[in-house]
Amino acid sequence: MTENDPHAHDSAAGRQNPGAQPGTEGQAAWSQPTAPGASPAPAPASGEQPTYGEQAQQQNPGYATANPWSAQGAQTGPMGYNNPYPPTGGTTQQQYAAPGTYSVPPAPAPKKSGPGKLLAGVAAIALVIGGVAGGTVGYLTGGSSGPSVNALDQPKPAQQTGNAPSGSIESVAQKLSPSVVELQVSGRTAAGEGSGFVLSTDGYILTNNHVVEVAANGGQIQAVFQDGKKAAASVVGRDPTTDIAVVKVNNVSGLTPVELGRSDDLRVGQPVVAIGSPFELSGTVTSGIVSSLHRPVQAGGDETDQTTVMDAIQTDAAINPGNSGGPLANMNGQVIGINSAIYSPNSGQGGQGGASQGGNVGIGFAIPIDQARRTANDIIKTGHATQTFIGAKVADAPQGGAQLGDITPGSPAEKAGLKAGDIVTKIDDRTIDSADTLIAAVRTRAPDEKATFTLSDGRTVQVTLGGQPVPAN
């Protein structure tokens, strides 16, 4: 690992990161990518944990960790992605146990003595009496009723006419569905599918990095539109650190772009709609609410051993393998997030023996559209993304907060006067309770923004955030 590796572990880390794989102390550094070739980390023991469930693709050889959070299914390759649509030869799934995840104890067996017997008897008696009484009433009144009425004899109601009510799920589906595409992806070692949505009339499509990364170097991508038309696409650029990618569909025009909303004013409890292609069921619409905001979620890694940390929108809208890259929208039909990951406990047995595919349990995560918009704009204009950083390694502090490790000379952290050992507890008004929270809070901001860091000793330091290109790969 290089000194500036955004996810290199700090040896001074005080405690294990609950979001990291078992056996990994602290939090990876996050200011600059590590050179390829890092040794793969050993697979943790199986158990209940987040599973990487949305993209049906293999993780490229050389990745240091499999992604425990992605909601996109993939064929298991050397590093263990899940594939719900594998090629001939079977599937495997590698599972990782995460410390601090919750397990659900089995329900206790009902007691079979005492009042329980009495209550059961009473329930049975009530059921019998209700049945007899109902039958008797029906018999006594049957003889005096008029001609029988049969629903099958009734005429069909008038056909629905007019537009869907504004602000309804139906209206959101009508507005967005023409802009949502299924992405069928294949590479030398894996194949799968995911979702994306149209940004421009000439074919730019926004999706997740983990949806298309298998095709980034010599693979193939085919976009399938709502009307069934298909077109070849290619990767314009991708950012593994934010799990965002842009692809371009070739030789098309007149596509219907989505309307982008904003994610900085979302409220917990507001209704949202998700659209995508779960399990290749294109055009699937589900709905729910914003369950929480600013969830720091680790969602995978790439060839340089960078862990993706999202400052995610949590939703209970049903998201399943294949939804990755699809839009999460408000009730005005404006896209406010990119569906990217699910939490799916106890989804398999781990190892190389094969396991069941994780599915929706009502905890899904989306990348805020404000961050995705900025990254997509960088990719389209320059061919690569720009990552926001401060230039310091970081780990969980034992007493809470994020403890800084090595400071890169000349970095924003050094220029602001931050030192190794400083513990960050707040950025502006946001509480920092872990290394992941600090990473997510910084990455969701734009380069050159100013932020006030509050340290555990009460000092405040103003930091001008830096920006650096994410290496193309």
Side-chain angles (χ1 to χ4, degrees):
M1 302 255 178
T2 64
E3 183 179 68
N4 298 333
D5 182 355
H7 298 289
H9 294 294
D10 183 5
S11 59
R15 65 179 175 89
Q16 189 176 22
N17 181 357
Q21 298 177 11
T24 301
E25 292 297 328
Q27 163 66 25
W30 49 282
S31 63
Q32 183 172 338
T34 303
S39 299
S46 61
E48 293 190 356
Q49 74 289 323
T51 57
Y52 201 34
E54 282 224 18
Q55 163 60 10
Q57 65 183 46
Q58 174 190 350
Q59 184 176 9
N60 289 336
Y63 278 33
T65 56
N67 189 335
W69 283 92
S70 164
Q72 181 67 26
Q75 176 191 358
T76 300
M79 303 307 297
Y81 274 68
N82 303 333
N83 184 2
Y85 315 104
T88 303
T91 63
T92 58
Q93 174 176 344
Q94 183 169 354
Q95 178 168 348
Y96 297 86
T101 58
Y102 293 91
S103 60
V104 180
K111 295 181 179 180
K112 297 183 178 180
S113 62
K117 288 185 177 180
L118 177 59
L119 291 175
V122 170
I125 293 171
L127 179 62
V128 171
I129 293 175
V132 172
T136 303
V137 171
Y139 176 79
L140 292 177
T141 59
S144 59
S145 63
S148 65
V149 177
N150 191 327
L152 299 175
D153 297 330
Q154 303 301 312
K156 290 182 180 180
Q159 195 170 26
Q160 295 185 70
T161 59
N163 296 326
S166 178
S168 66
I169 297 171
E170 183 183 0
S171 67
V172 174
Q174 288 181 355
K175 179 178 180 178
L176 270 183
S177 291
S179 305
V180 181
V181 299
E182 178 184 356
L183 296 175
Q184 298 174 346
V185 183
S186 63
R188 288 174 294 179
T189 56
E193 58 88 31
S195 305
F197 53 91
V198 176
L199 290 177
S200 66
T201 57
D202 59 348
Y204 283 108
I205 292 175
L206 188 59
T207 185
N208 284 139
N209 171 67
H210 74 260
V211 169
V212 299
E213 62 183 344
V214 72
N217 297 303
Q220 295 181 337
I221 304 173
Q222 182 171 246
V224 183
F225 295 90
Q226 183 193 35
D227 59 5
K229 292 181 180 178
K230 300 179 180 180
S234 57
V235 176
V236 177
R238 57 194 185 92
D239 180 7
T241 67
T242 58
D243 198 21
I244 292 170
V246 176
V247 301
K248 179 74 160 55
V249 180
N250 304 321
N251 303 318
V252 298
S253 62
L255 300 181
T256 304
V258 298
E259 179 183 356
L260 299 180
R262 57 188 303 163
S263 51
D264 61 352
D265 63 351
L266 295 177
R267 299 177 182 178
V268 174
Q270 78 174 74
V272 289
V273 174
I275 306 180
S277 304
F279 299 108
E280 296 189 32
L281 300 173
S282 60
T284 296
V285 178
T286 59
S287 65
I289 62 169
V290 173
S291 301
S292 186
L293 296 167
H294 304 299
R295 290 289 196 203
V297 174
Q298 290 190 11
D302 74 343
E303 294 173 352
T304 57
D305 194 27
Q306 294 173 297
T307 302
T308 299
V309 179
M310 300 186 297
D311 192 41
I313 303 165
Q314 182 182 329
T315 180
D316 67 348
I319 298 173
N320 282 289
N323 271 114
S324 268
L328 185 70
N330 60 25
M331 301 312 291
N332 292 321
Q334 300 166 329
V335 177
I336 51 88
I338 305 174
N339 300 318
S340 301
I342 57 174
Y343 181 73
S344 186
N346 198 27
S347 62
Q349 302 304 313
Q352 299 298 317
S356 61
Q357 172 67 38
N360 174 66
V361 294
I363 302 177
F365 302 98
I367 301 168
I369 198 61
D370 291 351
Q371 179 180 0
R373 180 200 288 261
R374 185 175 68 251
T375 301
N377 194 49
D378 285 344
I379 289 173
I380 291 172
K381 289 183 176 180
T382 68
H384 59 78
T386 301
Q387 179 189 86
T388 308
F389 78 111
I390 64 169
K393 293 183 179 180
V394 60
D396 290 338
Q399 65 271 42
Q403 184 171 5
L404 302 184
D406 295 339
I407 306 294
T408 303
S411 66
E414 184 188 58
K415 292 177 181 178
L418 293 170
K419 306 292 184 184
D422 285 344
I423 298 174
V424 181
T425 58
K426 289 181 71 174
I427 294 183
D428 293 332
D429 294 329
R430 178 172 179 175
T431 299
I432 303 300
D433 56 5
S434 69
D436 276 357
T437 306
L438 176 59
I439 295 171
V442 169
R443 284 189 177 167
T444 195
R445 296 166 181 256
D448 298 325
E449 278 191 33
K450 298 183 184 298
T452 300
F453 284 43
T454 300
L455 307 181
S456 59
D457 59 8
R459 289 183 295 134
T460 59
V461 178
Q462 188 175 68
V463 180
T464 300
L465 304 177
Q468 59 187 9
V470 177
N473 46 30

